[in-house]
Amino acid sequence: MIVCCVGSNSTIGKHLKLILQQYSDEATPLEEKLAQIGLHIGIIGTIAAAVIFTTLSIFIISDVVEAGKWDDSDTEHVFTAFIFAITILVVVIPEGLPLAVTLSLAFSMKKMKEEKIFVKHLKACETMGGCQELLIDKTGTLTKNEMKVIKALIGIEKTNIRIPEVDSKVVSILGASVARNTTADVHSVDGNIEKAGNRTECALLMFLMHWGLNYHQYRNMKTQVMQVPFNSQAKMMSTFNVENPDDAALYIKGAPERIMRRCTHMLKSDGNIVEITSADKEKVNEKLIRWSQKSLRTIAVAYKAGSVKEIGLNDNPNKDEMDKATNGMVLVAIFGIEDPVRDEAKEAIETLRKTGVTVRIITGDNPDIATRIGKNCSILADDYDYNTNNDTIILGKDFDRRTGGLIVKEQDEVISYSIGDEQEFKKMEEHLRILARCSPQDKLLLTIGMRGLERIVAVTGDGTNDAAALQRADVGIAMMTATPMAKEASDIILLDDNIQSIVTAIKWGRNIYFNIRRYLQFQLTVNAVALFLCLIGAVAVKSSPLTAVQMLWVNLMMDSLAALALATQDPDSKVLESAPYGKNEYILSPWILANIIIQSVYQVTIVLIVLFWGPDIFGCEAGWNSDWPEEETVHYTLCFNIFVMLQLFNQINCRKIRPEEYNVFSGIFDNWQFLTIIVVEFSLQIFFIYEGGDFMNTEPLDPFQFVICVFIGATTLLVTLIFKLGVIKYYESKSAGHK
């Protein structure tokens, strides 16, 4: 053995170097959206805190001017105003948002593991929810990856694959041609067949075993002097075996169209070797087309025997010499190998298409097989004709040529990729559904191109050469049967190798997005109401009806407890009916913004009514007439309690964020976490009202007053219901008008 390179310079080393690169600075689509809305909330909160502090300070200074002196109580009031402004800032800034995201991701990750989906990176959970493009490997994902020889030609003659009805010389040549030019292994363990290595090679070895041949008798590694492994460019593998200088053999196997070009003769079933004519090749091509139309993978085997000199090689040939020698070969056999489409593949792809995900198949098979698979999986119409040449199916070499290929740059040990002709790529991708006869580089090219169009891309793969595409995708998905390198580069591993699990992953991913929206709808409503209440209170009555400690309790309820409650909602039956969110889509939909505005206006109105007319309604002393906040008052306690009750019931509202979801209590008893948190929040609020005293600045309410607070809080449910009914009614009438 000659060692030509080691470590990061080797092929596997280059792949490993790529997948070990750190991409921690690359934010996911959801992180970018949350950073954007966090910035907006922070700016608004800072302005509000500054306005409140300035307003309270003006009142303090005016009192000082009127009194003509500054005493210690004035310093204390300024300090209190400053603390309150900081509290407002703490309440408004969504520090609980990362907690809500992490909780939702962890909750979903745990649930996905129960459904045979292993998530390696938390971010992959939410990114799958926005998946717009799924580049799916045919072998092992759409198909079962259980290769089996079901048709065979000896030379160009059909043979019985169950019984070797051929000359013993043919059996011996076929056994040697397959066994010596494969690296896979098939053996029995406790009565079960275990396969190791390439599945196509395993199918060929199983074929020999069914013929009663022991391939180990033919596979003599001591005589093997050179082997050129299969590669996606040559579509061929070759091996040179030398018993002695006068007894040697060169074996090749690969795509029939590549092997046939190198064959001048063929082996007949009677053991004779005859010349291949043009008519023979035409006859073989016709059979191969029929096999391809039946979705059979085809592979040809050929050999050349004689002395080392007659074969055209020496005792230690190199790769180029091997390639030159593979001319004038003898065609031994052509096999038709079946890889059945998974039973669930068609249904899963139809579901993916309905959810707005564009599915594109990537395969090394020829266009005929690709067409058949596409039709079986409902990616292509039943009447699709490849000869129409509308870019629905594109060959890898044409795809690479027309897009200008993949441009690779390496700087400071960081590899970057780009596409030669982005405009041409954009034109092609509109129609492209299957990339046939493609190489791993074509797969990477398609991945890079789709991401360049601001799409959220998921890629499936199972081979070491797929590592680059898996790494560069937004989400890399590997099968459990994938190579270790592919698993290392992936974000998600399907433990059951089931394509339906991809649908499940998207379902949980979209549910995370919905949970974050539920949380934001709740939090922003609380923010808006608290800001308006404190701002108006500061301007109108020279003090806020809510103290800093009360605001911190609201913040705890809004951030931590609400995150726990709303981030653990299970996906419902309609979660897959929504379209995937785009990278540039604002996280707050118009409907959610409308809900926030309606609830905020209603809640602010209610709390202000209690603030200004509460003393008359409830028959209590006005809070601004007392030494607030040193002295507790029933009036401001009512304001605080009603404000909290409005938020508690609005938390129930936020479980359902679609217009058509009228019943906000639907499924509430299936989520014990939510119920527990609601009970805890309600219990703590009762405790704070009756036992909070000086710490919470609360005065105990009588039972009637507390019940009224609860009733007022519950009215938020009615407001949301009326709003939903009104919106649905409006759009129904608008649709009817268009008709």
Side-chain angles (χ1 to χ4, degrees):
M1 179 176 73
I2 299 176
V3 177
C4 57
C5 58
V6 297
S8 61
N9 294 314
S10 65
T11 301
I12 291 181
K14 289 177 181 178
H15 285 298
L16 189 60
K17 180 181 176 181
L18 174 67
I19 66 176
L20 290 180
Q21 288 187 42
Q22 298 298 315
Y23 295 99
S24 56
D25 294 336
E26 186 175 350
T28 66
L30 181 59
E31 286 176 333
E32 292 175 354
K33 295 174 189 294
L34 295 178
Q36 183 184 33
I37 195 170
L39 177 63
H40 294 165
I41 295 172
I43 291 172
I44 294 172
T46 302
I47 294 172
V51 169
I52 290 173
F53 176 71
T54 302
T55 303
L56 293 175
S57 298
I58 290 172
F59 286 127
I60 294 170
I61 293 172
S62 64
D63 290 341
V64 170
V65 171
E66 185 178 344
K69 64 175 182 176
W70 182 285
D71 54 28
D72 292 342
S73 63
D74 295 319
T75 303
E76 185 179 345
H77 289 156
V78 172
F79 186 67
T80 301
F82 179 75
I83 291 177
F84 187 76
I86 295 299
T87 304
I88 287 289
L89 199 58
V90 170
V91 170
V92 171
I93 292 176
E95 68 273 8
L97 191 54
L99 174 64
V101 174
T102 304
L103 282 172
S104 188
L105 290 174
F107 174 74
S108 300
M109 184 177 179
K110 179 176 179 294
K111 292 288 187 177
M112 290 167 73
K113 179 67 180 299
E114 294 172 1
E115 299 197 46
K116 306 297 183 183
I117 304 170
F118 177 64
V119 180
K120 291 175 56 183
H121 306 130
L122 271 178
K123 293 180 180 180
C125 294
E126 54 95 352
T127 308
M128 278 302 291
C131 176
Q132 298 166 298
E133 298 282 343
L134 177 61
L135 311 184
I136 193 165
D137 224 13
K138 188 209 75 160
T139 304
T141 307
L142 292 177
T143 59
K144 298 179 180 179
N145 201 18
E146 296 175 0
M147 306 291 187
K148 182 180 180 182
V149 175
I150 63 170
K151 291 185 178 294
L153 301 177
I154 299 298
I156 64 170
E157 301 169 358
K158 185 177 180 180
T159 188
N160 190 331
I161 63 170
R162 298 182 183 278
I163 304 172
E165 298 176 341
V166 293
D167 187 84
S168 58
K169 177 183 176 182
V170 175
V171 173
S172 179
I173 293 174
L174 180 61
S177 299
V178 171
R180 292 180 178 179
N181 198 25
T182 53
T183 58
D185 187 34
V186 178
H187 54 276
S188 177
V189 178
D190 297 330
N192 297 318
I193 297 295
E194 290 194 0
K195 302 174 183 178
N198 182 276
R199 288 296 183 262
T200 301
E201 291 189 352
C202 288
L204 296 178
L205 296 178
M206 289 292 292
F207 171 78
L208 295 184
M209 293 171 67
H210 289 155
W211 269 22
L213 302 179
N214 182 355
Y215 68 88
H216 291 289
Q217 293 179 351
Y218 297 95
R219 183 184 286 176
N220 186 354
M221 298 302 295
K222 294 180 180 179
T223 65
Q224 185 182 115
V225 296
M226 180 62 177
Q227 185 179 90
V228 181
F230 178 88
N231 67 78
S232 53
Q233 283 75 36
K235 302 265 182 208
M236 185 180 75
M237 175 180 178
S238 57
T239 303
F240 185 41
N241 284 63
V242 179
E243 294 281 352
N244 56 67
D246 296 323
D247 184 8
L250 175 64
Y251 304 99
I252 61 174
K253 78 171 189 298
E257 64 269 21
R258 300 290 181 95
I259 301 299
M260 291 283 286
R261 293 176 196 164
R262 299 171 183 265
C263 292
T264 55
H265 294 74
M266 65 178 177
L267 182 69
K268 300 194 70 175
S269 58
D270 59 5
N272 292 321
I273 296 175
V274 299
E275 188 175 351
I276 296 181
T277 64
S278 298
D280 292 332
K281 291 185 177 181
E282 185 65 29
K283 187 176 180 181
V284 170
N285 287 333
E286 290 175 359
K287 289 184 177 181
L288 292 178
I289 291 173
R290 289 198 295 271
W291 287 6
S292 296
Q293 290 172 346
K294 296 178 180 179
S295 303
L296 298 185
R297 172 176 290 189
T298 54
I299 188 167
V301 176
Y303 88 114
K304 184 195 290 186
S307 66
V308 172
K309 185 177 181 179
E310 289 171 342
I311 292 174
L313 292 172
N314 53 51
D315 291 338
N316 187 25
N318 59 37
K319 183 178 178 181
D320 292 334
E321 291 170 342
M322 288 278 286
D323 186 65
K324 289 180 182 179
T326 56
N327 290 309
M329 304 291 290
V330 177
L331 178 65
V332 177
I334 300 176
F335 300 98
I337 301 174
E338 180 185 45
D339 186 10
V341 175
R342 292 181 180 274
D343 299 332
E344 67 276 5
K346 183 175 182 179
E347 181 183 353
I349 288 180
E350 286 180 346
T351 302
L352 288 168
R353 291 177 62 188
K354 289 177 182 176
T355 62
V357 178
T358 301
V359 182
R360 306 176 198 263
I361 296 178
I362 302 171
T363 177
D365 291 323
N366 62 48
D368 293 320
I369 295 179
T371 300
R372 184 76 175 180
I373 293 292
K375 290 179 178 180
N376 288 343
C377 296
S378 297
I379 289 179
L380 302 178
D382 292 336
D383 59 351
Y384 171 78
D385 182 7
Y386 172 67
N387 296 318
T388 57
N389 193 26
N390 62 356
D391 285 348
T392 302
I393 298 180
I394 302 178
L395 296 180
K397 61 179 182 180
D398 295 331
F399 181 69
D400 184 79
R401 172 180 54 81
R402 291 172 57 183
T403 58
L406 194 64
I407 300 174
V408 184
K409 295 180 180 179
E410 184 172 356
Q411 185 175 5
D412 298 329
E413 297 187 352
V414 175
I415 302 173
S416 62
Y417 297 98
S418 60
I419 295 177
D421 191 341
E422 294 182 358
Q423 292 301 319
E424 180 64 22
F425 177 87
K426 192 172 183 179
K427 293 178 184 177
M428 294 173 67
E429 69 85 17
E430 293 180 7
H431 302 285
L432 176 64
R433 290 298 175 269
I434 299 179
L435 193 60
R437 283 296 189 211
C438 76
S439 66
Q441 181 166 321
D442 297 326
K443 189 173 186 177
L444 177 59
L445 175 62
L446 183 58
T447 303
I448 297 296
M450 286 300 173
R451 292 199 66 187
L453 296 177
E454 294 296 315
R455 310 275 178 82
I456 300 177
V457 183
V459 175
T460 71
D462 58 2
T464 298
N465 287 336
D466 294 329
L470 291 170
Q471 177 70 40
R472 292 293 171 165
D474 290 293
V475 181
I477 304 172
M479 303 294 128
M480 190 60 186
T481 53
T483 63
M485 189 74 72
K487 291 179 181 177
E488 181 67 29
S490 65
D491 302 292
I492 293 176
I493 299 175
L494 305 184
L495 301 178
D496 56 358
D497 288 353
N498 191 335
I499 186 177
Q500 191 67 41
S501 296
I502 298 177
V503 178
T504 304
I506 290 176
K507 177 184 71 175
W508 280 102
R510 291 194 183 174
N511 187 63
I512 290 170
Y513 196 65
F514 279 122
N515 283 345
I516 301 305
R517 281 182 156 181
R518 291 181 179 105
Y519 173 75
L520 284 173
Q521 179 175 315
F522 174 71
Q523 185 187 53
L524 294 182
T525 302
V526 179
N527 284 351
V529 177
L531 283 178
F532 274 104
L533 179 60
C534 294
L535 186 59
I536 294 173
V539 173
V541 298
K542 301 183 181 182
S543 64
S544 170
L546 300 179
T547 65
V549 176
Q550 290 173 352
M551 290 294 288
L552 289 175
W553 157 235
V554 171
N555 187 56
L556 174 64
M557 178 183 70
M558 178 180 67
D559 281 346
S560 305
L561 297 178
L564 283 167
L566 295 173
T568 55
Q569 290 286 114
D570 284 334
D572 55 33
S573 58
K574 294 184 178 181
V575 72
L576 288 175
E577 294 179 6
S578 59
Y581 61 84
K583 281 190 174 181
N584 299 319
E585 175 189 331
Y586 198 57
I587 192 169
L588 298 179
S589 67
W591 168 254
I592 291 177
L593 286 171
N595 261 304
I596 293 172
I597 293 170
I598 292 294
Q599 277 294 330
S600 299
V601 170
Y602 174 73
Q603 291 185 24
V604 167
T605 302
I606 291 295
V607 178
L608 289 181
I609 289 173
V610 177
L611 176 62
F612 293 113
W613 292 282
D616 297 328
I617 296 172
F618 291 95
C620 59
E621 182 184 356
W624 54 79
N625 291 330
S626 64
D627 189 19
W628 175 260
E630 286 76 13
E631 181 184 352
E632 295 81 31
T633 69
V634 171
H635 179 205
Y636 283 165
T637 301
L638 284 167
C639 290
F640 169 57
N641 197 38
I642 288 174
F643 173 73
V644 170
M645 289 300 160
L646 287 168
Q647 309 319 317
L648 281 176
F649 282 97
N650 191 43
Q651 197 168 322
I652 298 174
N653 270 330
C654 292
R655 292 183 63 251
K656 306 292 182 181
I657 57 174
R658 299 188 189 93
E660 67 275 10
E661 293 178 311
Y662 301 129
N663 184 6
V664 295
F665 293 100
S666 174
I668 194 170
F669 293 105
D670 297 329
N671 189 347
W672 64 267
Q673 296 100 323
F674 184 88
L675 287 174
T676 302
I677 289 168
I678 286 290
V679 170
V680 169
E681 290 174 336
F682 190 79
S683 301
L684 286 174
Q685 181 63 15
I686 294 174
F687 176 79
F688 290 148
I689 293 298
Y690 291 99
E691 300 295 335
D694 294 337
F695 176 71
M696 290 297 296
N697 293 93
T698 55
E699 184 74 16
L701 303 176
D702 64 48
F704 176 75
Q705 289 172 333
F706 193 87
V707 170
I708 290 296
C709 292
V710 174
F711 175 78
I712 293 173
T715 58
T716 61
L717 302 177
L718 182 61
V719 170
T720 297
L721 178 61
I722 293 172
F723 177 56
K724 288 182 177 181
L725 289 172
V727 170
I728 295 295
K729 194 71 176 177
Y730 169 75
Y731 280 107
E732 285 179 352
S733 62
K734 193 174 181 180
S735 301
H738 284 304
K739 292 180 181 178

